[in-house]
Amino acid sequence: MTALALRIVQPVHDTGYPPGPSIALQGSLTGDSAGLYLKWYSSLNSAASETQPELNADHSLAILNWSAPLAEFGSHVIVLAATDQERTDLSAIKAVTRSAMSGGAPPAASAPCIVHRLVAQIRTPAANGQVLSKAVATLEFLAPARWARKDAGPPEAWVADSDYQRINGIAMRLRLVPVGPPDPAHSADIPLTLATLPFIRADDKTWFRWAGALPANLGNGNHTLSLSVSGGGATTSAVRQVILAA
């Protein structure tokens, strides 16, 4: 009898997806498929519950060719699993006699599958036309969905989620350019090191907060502030029109 084996065909490991339609999930199964239940998992599945931690409610072979929203911003660890037990309680897990799995995160996974859903959202400044002080400016923008987690201590305390940050493949860039003809001499990037950037919780989301003096080469007046979010070869962006002042 051919040994049971699963392989994720789509999505391809380390691929980025801008906001938009569902992502195609395709797998291949080798071996006897009789009596098997197939399940797709994402580490950023906000709808996961104790009774359905997987993405799909249909566990039939048809799910080998499927699409899922994967809408949560961040790097998703994707796993495709097949077992001869449909339930996920402890007694069902102990009763499994045939199983296979594909995907997961490196270095443990031999054929990893991590994909990056990109979202660019600026919180502060909240609207176009706001004045930013070049001496002391505050910029806030959306962080990946699992960048922080609730601490086991006091209520509302949040700490960095090291498990997520270990696999994060999202990068960000802030840039300010004068409105009008290209002016490289008076344009500037704001360097970002996400792992050390402060974050806050607001609107049930995690936001990065950058605060400080803007680059010295920037002038006064109308500027475009852009936030670029990239990962897996794809990029998306958001912009604000701001007024720089001393």
Side-chain angles (χ1 to χ4, degrees):
M1 180 180 293
T2 305
L4 191 63
L6 273 179
R7 182 171 70 91
I8 294 177
V9 180
Q10 292 287 343
V12 175
H13 174 58
D14 199 26
T15 298
Y17 296 87
S22 296
I23 294 173
L25 303 179
Q26 181 183 356
S28 66
L29 173 65
T30 302
D32 183 7
S33 62
L36 292 179
Y37 301 93
L38 283 89
K39 299 178 183 181
W40 290 94
Y41 296 88
S42 164
S43 59
L44 296 186
N45 177 14
S46 62
S49 65
E50 185 175 349
T51 56
Q52 187 179 321
E54 68 274 18
L55 293 163
N56 53 301
D58 175 10
H59 301 146
S60 71
L61 289 176
I63 217 68
L64 283 174
N65 286 280
W66 189 54
S67 292
L70 299 184
E72 293 81 3
F73 173 31
S75 298
H76 295 242
V77 178
I78 304 298
V79 170
L80 173 60
T83 68
D84 58 1
Q85 300 292 320
E86 187 169 22
R87 302 194 322 273
T88 55
D89 56 88
L90 184 58
S91 61
I93 293 172
K94 288 182 176 179
V96 169
T97 58
R98 300 173 62 232
S99 65
M101 188 183 79
S102 182
S110 58
C113 186
I114 297 178
V115 297
H116 316 287
R117 176 64 91 176
L118 310 180
V119 176
Q121 186 175 347
I122 297 171
R123 181 173 186 266
T124 303
N128 292 326
Q130 295 190 357
V131 176
L132 288 182
S133 166
K134 293 191 298 180
V136 184
T138 298
L139 307 173
E140 295 172 340
F141 43 100
L142 188 64
R146 271 190 54 198
W147 193 262
R149 60 173 176 79
K150 280 187 178 180
D151 193 8
E156 302 307 318
W158 288 73
V159 296
D161 189 330
S162 58
D163 289 337
Y164 172 80
Q165 293 187 25
R166 193 175 298 115
I167 59 93
N168 177 64
I170 305 293
M172 298 185 181
R173 186 182 77 162
L174 288 170
R175 183 166 176 79
L176 280 156
V177 301
V179 172
D183 187 359
H186 298 97
S187 302
D189 289 327
I190 298 175
L192 298 175
T193 303
L194 299 186
T196 60
L197 203 60
F199 60 82
I200 63 167
R201 288 287 298 180
D203 307 320
D204 202 28
K205 298 177 181 178
T206 302
W207 306 84
F208 289 120
R209 172 178 284 167
W210 181 94
L214 297 176
N217 66 311
L218 293 169
N220 293 340
N222 295 329
H223 284 68
T224 298
L225 168 68
S226 63
L227 167 68
S228 296
V229 178
S230 60
T235 300
T236 193
S237 61
V239 298
R240 285 281 189 275
Q241 302 304 318
V242 298
I243 303 168
L244 300 189

